[in-house]
Amino acid sequence: DAGVIQSPRHEVTEMGQEVTLRCKPISGHDYLFWYRQTMMRGLELLIYFNNNVPIDDSGMPEDRFSAKMPNASFSTLKIQPSEPRDSAVYFCASSSPGANTGELFFGEGSRLTVL
Amino acid sequence: QKEVEQNSGPLSVPEGAIASLNCTYSDRVSQSFFWYRQYSGKSPELIMSIYSNGDKEDGRFTAQLNKASQYVSLLIRDSQPSDSATYLCAVDGQAGTALIFGKGTTLSVSS
């Protein structure tokens, strides 16, 4: 069974450009989470969805960040315009229905570098 | 605001020793507690969960929870070089809320 799939794995872009990160959760999982990881701040929750509906987006840094989940098998995290301080590894994770939401399955992450 | 605190380390132990990793959390209503392991350049993976006070053992790993002290720990017995990784403590505030992670403790096991 395929795990959580993220793309791209690596993205290098220039300040001001739009960045779109993509995630396909494990089939049948009804929670989807976006986290960001940096050395300074650790693993931070950005937003999470339940059954495609955003539940808590209080971790989204500012209006430059937006996330969507148009269906159960796809989510995007968009940064527009990007800034150097957005450089980080962005992880998508999903969890299964009925399970405690702490048992997360992470994708391999998207490493973003904004020059 | 919920906080999860860990000593960043590095914690260095010789092969075969016991490694002890500690975590404190701020939200008294937290119900569920997790330890994730993250190898360098990889994604976190769940290794232990604990929900009630006391100890929970799984192979060489033992998780300990003390809700009164708001303290969670992970013991790794007979540490192996393959245990060298960053260990993330995570806490779930209430049912249906997302995990809050600590910044992690880096463990180095020398052979």
Side-chain angles (χ1 to χ4, degrees):
Chain A
D1 189 17
V4 175
I5 299 172
Q6 292 187 246
S7 64
R9 292 292 313 281
H10 302 275
E11 175 90 5
V12 180
T13 190
E14 294 187 346
M15 183 174 62
Q17 296 299 304
E18 178 179 295
V19 173
T20 299
L21 307 179
R22 298 172 177 81
C23 175
K24 176 179 170 57
I26 294 172
S27 177
H29 282 193
D30 63 352
Y31 280 91
L32 183 140
F33 306 83
W34 283 100
Y35 283 89
R36 176 174 70 175
Q37 188 173 40
T38 62
M39 289 292 293
M40 287 294 294
R41 301 177 67 89
L43 197 60
E44 301 174 279
L45 176 68
L46 299 177
I47 185 171
Y48 76 100
F49 297 83
N50 180 221
N51 291 321
N52 312 337
V53 176
I55 303 301
D56 183 358
D57 66 354
S58 60
M60 297 285 262
E62 48 197 272
D63 292 345
R64 298 185 297 107
F65 285 69
S66 62
K68 294 182 180 179
M69 192 166 186
N71 57 61
S73 60
F74 184 67
S75 177
T76 60
L77 178 68
K78 186 173 294 186
I79 309 172
Q80 167 63 17
S82 58
E83 296 182 3
R85 60 188 167 130
D86 301 330
S87 297
V89 180
Y90 291 79
F91 286 105
C92 176
S94 67
S95 67
S96 60
N100 188 290
T101 52
E103 299 180 67
L104 304 183
F105 295 82
F106 283 84
E108 293 184 302
S110 294
R111 181 175 295 276
L112 173 65
T113 302
V114 183
L115 304 175
Chain B
Q1 183 172 347
K2 301 174 188 175
E3 292 185 350
V4 179
E5 299 288 342
Q6 297 181 255
N7 187 324
S8 63
L11 173 65
S12 297
V13 300
E15 183 175 358
I18 295 175
S20 178
L21 306 163
N22 304 313
C23 170
T24 58
Y25 59 95
S26 63
D27 191 350
R28 284 195 170 274
V29 302
S30 297
Q31 296 293 317
S32 307
F33 308 87
F34 305 87
W35 285 98
Y36 281 75
R37 178 177 61 200
Q38 186 176 24
Y39 291 114
S40 180
K42 302 296 184 181
S43 58
E45 57 178 338
L46 179 68
I47 55 171
M48 288 287 288
S49 59
I50 186 166
Y51 306 101
S52 53
N53 282 328
D55 295 359
K56 178 182 178 182
E57 186 174 318
D58 184 1
R60 296 186 295 111
F61 298 94
T62 298
Q64 299 175 317
L65 174 61
N66 183 326
K67 290 185 179 180
S69 300
Q70 296 177 237
Y71 178 89
V72 192
S73 66
L74 179 70
L75 300 178
I76 306 175
R77 291 181 301 280
D78 188 23
S79 295
Q80 301 297 309
S82 59
D83 295 326
S84 298
T86 296
Y87 290 81
L88 303 170
C89 174
V91 175
D92 183 357
Q94 297 176 3
T97 62
L99 290 188
I100 304 299
F101 285 83
K103 292 183 180 180
T105 298
T106 299
L107 172 66
S108 177
V109 181
S110 56
S111 58

